[in-house]
């Protein structure tokens, strides 16, 4: 799951959302009163960016989307394996470039419209034919990460689209054609950004009319007040000023109906405040439990679920922002200067590990036989001297007002790593920025950043989803151009044989750690907690928890 780069007109969202927000507050009160057993209030660390997952890449937007929308294929409960979603089965042709999906029948969108093959094609054609600001990487980030370009690229640097066409053979049979074999298909279609929407609602609320400017994106009414999917919950209200988003049970759901009548996501940015709200009964669960709180909450009887460590925290190095960072010896010095084991031991939850690659060892293609950079302050100083960079000063960005699965307390991590770098003689200019949009915009675009924290929670169980997303093309976050590396990524992605592709991933991991575009720091097992009487939710390594199975014990 990427860190999004929203530049959102919040006032516009608030105005649109409040038009339908009437009863969010009363629902929340019911959840702590007489109707408590039907209503669950879940605390989240930040507001969603937008309610149309096609336009989202942030975790909180996608958390909501997973309850309201469905995709052709989905992750198995609690795992990363591709399993049936709106499609019951699927298979590729002999060339591996056309995939045919057999769809479920009897499924309806929340507006009563029938789900069928034509609806699937309508959605894929909407994404493929995006124009204007809808081609901005801040708007359709996941389409670009997975599919590349569009029918007509307005940015010459975009590649040819991986997606080619969609054909509805009959109401329950749809074929998706691609320009080449890719490791991403079909697993990437599990992403909420490829959720299937009601074509009628998309048209009615002008869903593709993205206006404003790249610095002030304005989303249409569909994306702020009328998301319309097929999932077990329906959108009810988004009360932006009061930081609550309310969903209600879809009584016409094709599968097993949600056990909850009402699900409310309540933004509580402070971790301690979320904990206190749980203890007082104001909320019945929250995500991103602090490492030091896991055992105490368990001891109090709360249901703490620990996800597998399917993520990466890294220190990104921007070679364009500071010319000295283009020197490999300087990047190696940074890696040797950081005591990653001390960071893992003191700041991360039990089970966290120092990272050797940019993805965890549970993903095929992980390579333990890569260049390693052990903690060695004197070696770091020597490398800086050899590079003529003993007087190095770096702008070090770190985020505020945020907790992420891979990054429980950014300020603590910054202070520890900053002290390590200073011990090696590096001067640090601290630049704290609010996570969204300031920090994300500053660190993923332009050249005003030198080093910064960021990370990733895997979207599906293939190595390309990690290292390909980071390093398969030029990106402002890293500021380098390495055509040989990019070409090897292209080869790996188009290799159909899994064993051959895994071997290429191992080579790529070795190449990456030799080139050292950044420093992989750690993999952490983030925790999610529910009330003492809440059961039924299964922790997901992808943060793909589904709340339709949540219920209160009688």
């Amino acid at each position: 799951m990427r860190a999004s780069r929203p530049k959102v007109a919040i006032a516009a969202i608030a105005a649109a959302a409040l038009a339908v927000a009437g009863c969010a507050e009363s629902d929340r009160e019911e959840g702590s009163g007489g109707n408590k057993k039907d209503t669950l209030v879940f605390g989240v660390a930040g507001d969603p960016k937008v309610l149309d997952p096609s336009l989202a890449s942030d975790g909180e937007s996608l958390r909501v989307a997973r309850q309201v929308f469905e995709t052709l294929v989905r992750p198995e409960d609690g795992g990363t394996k591709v399993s049936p979603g709106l499609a019951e089965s699927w298979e590729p042709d002999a060339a591996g470039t056309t995939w045919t999906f057999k769809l479920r029948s009897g499924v309806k969108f929340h507006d009563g419209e029938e789900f069928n093959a034509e609806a699937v094609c309508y959605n894929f054609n909407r994404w493929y034919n995006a124009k204007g600001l809808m081609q901005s990487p801040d708007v359709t980030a996941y389409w670009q990460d997975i599919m590349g370009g569009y029918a007509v690229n307005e940015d010459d640097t975009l590649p040819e689209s991986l997606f080619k066409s969609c054909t509805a053979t009959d109401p329950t049979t749809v074929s998706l054609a691609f320009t080449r074999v890719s490791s991403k298909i079909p697993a990437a279609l599990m992403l909420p950004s490829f959720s299937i929407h009601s074509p009628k609602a998309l048209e009615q609320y002008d869903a593709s009319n993205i206006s404003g400017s790249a610095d002030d994106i304005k989303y249409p009414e569909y994306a702020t007040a009328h998301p319309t999917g097929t999932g077990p919950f329906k959108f009810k209200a988004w009360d932006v000023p009061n930081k609550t988003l309310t969903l209600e049970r879809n009584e016409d759901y094709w599968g097993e109906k949600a056990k909850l009548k009402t699900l409310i996501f309540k933004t509580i940015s402070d971790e301690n405040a979320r904990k206190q709200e749980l203890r007082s009964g104001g909320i019945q669960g929250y995500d991103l439990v602090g490492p030091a709180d896991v055992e105490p909450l368990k001891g109090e009887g709360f249901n703490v679920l620990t996800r597998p460590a399917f993520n990466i925290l890294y220190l990104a190095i921007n070679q364009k922002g500071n010319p000295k960072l283009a020197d490999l010896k300087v990047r190696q010095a940074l890696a040797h200067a950081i005591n990653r084991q001390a960071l893992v031991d003191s700041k991360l939850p039990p089970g966290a590990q120092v990272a050797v690659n940019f993805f965890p060892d549970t993903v095929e293609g992980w390579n333990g036989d890569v260049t390693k950079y052990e903690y060695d302050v004197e070696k770091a100083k020597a490398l800086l001297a050899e590079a003529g960079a003993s007087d190095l000063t770096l702008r070090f960005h770190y985020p505020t007002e945020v907790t992420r699965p891979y990054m429980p307390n950014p300020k603590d991590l910054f202070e520890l790593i900053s002290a390590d770098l200073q011990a090696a003689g590096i001067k640090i200019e601290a630049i704290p920025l609010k996570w969204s949009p300031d920090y994300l915009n500053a660190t993923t675009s332009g050249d005003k950043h030198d080093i910064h924290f960021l990370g990733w929670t895997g979207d599906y169980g293939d190595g390309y989803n990690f290292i390909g997303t980071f390093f398969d093309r030029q990106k402002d976050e890293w500021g380098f151009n390495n055509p040989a590396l990019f070409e090897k990524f292209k080869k790996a992605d188009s290799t159909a044989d899994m064993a051959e592709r895994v071997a290429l991933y191992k080579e790529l991991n070795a190449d990456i750690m030799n080139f050292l575009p950044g420093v992989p720091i750690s993999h952490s097992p983030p925790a999610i907690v529910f009330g003492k009487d809440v059961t039924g939710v299964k922790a997901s390594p992808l943060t793909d928890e589904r709340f339709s199975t949540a219920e209160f014990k009688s």
Side-chain angles (χ1 to χ4, degrees), residues 66 69-91 100-105 107 115 186-187 189-191 196 230 232 253-256 544 546:
R66 288 180 171 111
F69 292 94
E70 293 176 303
T71 46
L72 293 178
V73 292
R74 56 159 292 175
E76 63 179 344
D77 288 342
T80 63
K81 183 180 177 182
V82 181
S83 65
L86 289 172
E88 296 177 315
S89 62
W90 54 94
E91 62 179 359
T100 299
F101 296 82
K102 189 67 177 177
L103 308 179
R104 296 185 188 277
S105 57
V107 177
F115 163 77
L189 301 182
M190 299 190 298
L191 296 171
I196 306 302
T230 60
Y253 185 56
W254 59 267
E256 183 177 353
D544 184 55
R546 307 290 172 133

Side-chain angles (χ1 to χ4, degrees), residues 278-416:
L278 177 73
R279 285 171 166 160
S280 69
I283 61 176
Q284 292 78 52
Y286 70 90
D287 202 355
L288 306 177
V289 178
D293 293 328
V294 171
E295 292 306 319
L297 288 173
K298 284 182 179 179
E300 294 171 35
F302 291 101
N303 295 314
V304 181
L305 310 177
T306 300
R307 303 180 179 104
F310 198 66
N311 56 38
I312 177 72
L313 168 68
Y314 58 77
L315 182 75
I317 301 172
N318 179 17
Q319 296 182 36
K320 188 176 180 181
N322 185 328
K324 290 185 178 179
L325 294 175
D327 189 323
L328 176 59
K329 289 183 178 180
V330 173
R331 301 198 300 276
Q332 290 171 336
L334 299 187
H336 282 296
I338 299 171
N339 190 341
R340 292 179 289 165
Q341 188 64 59
L343 182 151
V344 166
D345 292 342
S346 63
K347 303 299 181 183
L348 299 181
Q353 296 179 327
V354 171
V356 175
N357 297 174
F358 277 84
F359 60 67
D361 59 8
T362 53
V363 179
E364 289 189 281
W366 183 86
N367 186 353
D369 188 23
V370 299
T371 302
K372 298 179 177 68
Y373 300 88
E374 303 298 338
Y375 175 55
D376 189 333
V377 178
E378 295 307 314
K379 187 168 186 177
K381 291 179 179 178
L383 285 165
L384 290 171
E386 289 176 26
S390 295
D391 60 345
L392 184 64
T393 298
L394 295 177
R395 296 167 293 184
F396 192 162
H397 286 69
Y398 71 93
T400 63
E401 300 181 41
V402 70
T403 303
R404 302 307 306 143
Y406 46 80
M407 186 172 57
N409 192 323
K411 185 177 181 182
D412 284 357
L413 300 178
F414 163 78
E415 289 175 348
L416 193 154

Side-chain angles (χ1 to χ4, degrees), residues 187-221:
L189 301 182
M190 299 190 298
L191 296 171
S193 294
F194 293 100
S195 296
I196 306 302
H197 306 242
S198 163
K200 179 181 177 181
L202 290 171
E203 291 186 359
Q204 182 177 354
Y205 299 106
D206 208 9
S208 297
N209 184 19
I210 314 298
S211 59
S213 66
D215 294 320
D216 184 22
I217 294 170
K218 292 179 170 48
Y219 292 97
E221 187 179 2

Side-chain angles (χ1 to χ4, degrees), residues 42-165:
F42 188 82
V44 296
D47 296 327
K49 167 189 168 185
V50 68
L51 302 182
D52 178 352
S54 308
L55 314 180
S57 56
D58 62 297
E60 297 307 340
S61 295
L62 300 182
R63 189 196 306 275
V64 174
R66 288 180 171 111
Q67 321 309 320
V68 174
F69 292 94
E70 293 176 303
T71 46
L72 293 178
V73 292
R74 56 159 292 175
E76 63 179 344
D77 288 342
T80 63
K81 183 180 177 182
V82 181
S83 65
L86 289 172
E88 296 177 315
S89 62
W90 54 94
E91 62 179 359
D93 64 1
T97 56
T98 298
W99 289 75
T100 299
F101 296 82
K102 189 67 177 177
L103 308 179
R104 296 185 188 277
S105 57
V107 177
K108 290 188 176 182
F109 292 103
H110 298 157
D111 59 2
E113 294 293 299
E114 296 286 340
F115 163 77
N116 53 33
E118 291 289 348
V120 173
C121 287
Y122 186 98
N123 279 265
F124 274 87
N125 288 332
R126 174 199 176 207
W127 305 322
Y128 180 54
N129 291 293
K131 297 178 181 178
L133 279 175
M134 200 165 170
Q135 287 197 17
S136 166
D138 293 317
V139 177
T140 48
Y142 266 121
W143 177 270
Q144 292 189 22
D145 279 344
I146 303 303
M147 301 298 180
Y150 304 88
V152 178
N153 288 335
E154 296 174 14
D155 179 347
D156 291 341
T157 66
L158 286 171
E160 176 190 26
S161 174
L162 172 62
F163 174 79
K164 183 178 181 181
S165 65

